[in-house]
Amino acid sequence: MIKKAKVKRKRITPHGLRHTHATILLNQKTSVITVAKRLGNTPEEVYKTYGHSDDQADKKAATVFSSMISI
């Protein structure tokens, strides 16, 4: 799978898979509560650890809002 995905790392740790799992779910708009339950964390911990993965959604929200108030 590593070769097929063209991952540059030779070894993927279980911890790395945990982060990948959480990031994929969040990017697919899965509820933070659901992700937290799957990871055994609180929603606050998920936001703290994976908040960076929502940067694209934040930029999109800003664009949508900006286009709605443009004259």
Side-chain angles (χ1 to χ4, degrees):
M1 287 180 64
I2 293 171
K3 287 179 185 175
K4 186 176 179 180
K6 298 180 182 176
V7 174
K8 293 181 182 177
R9 297 182 141 222
K10 292 182 181 178
R11 183 169 174 260
I12 298 175
T13 64
H15 187 74
L17 287 174
R18 175 185 171 89
H19 281 279
T20 301
H21 176 79
T23 302
I24 288 170
L25 291 176
L26 292 169
N27 285 340
Q28 293 299 312
K29 308 302 181 219
T30 303
S31 158
V32 173
I33 294 169
T34 301
V35 175
K37 284 181 185 177
R38 292 180 67 93
L39 297 178
N41 285 355
T42 64
E44 293 79 16
E45 187 65 30
V46 171
Y47 279 124
K48 183 176 140 188
T49 306
Y50 303 101
H52 66 277
S53 68
D54 215 19
D55 287 345
Q56 277 187 325
D58 189 44
K59 288 177 184 175
K60 182 178 178 183
T63 301
V64 168
F65 183 75
S66 178
S67 69
M68 295 304 293
I69 62 170
S70 293
I71 297 177

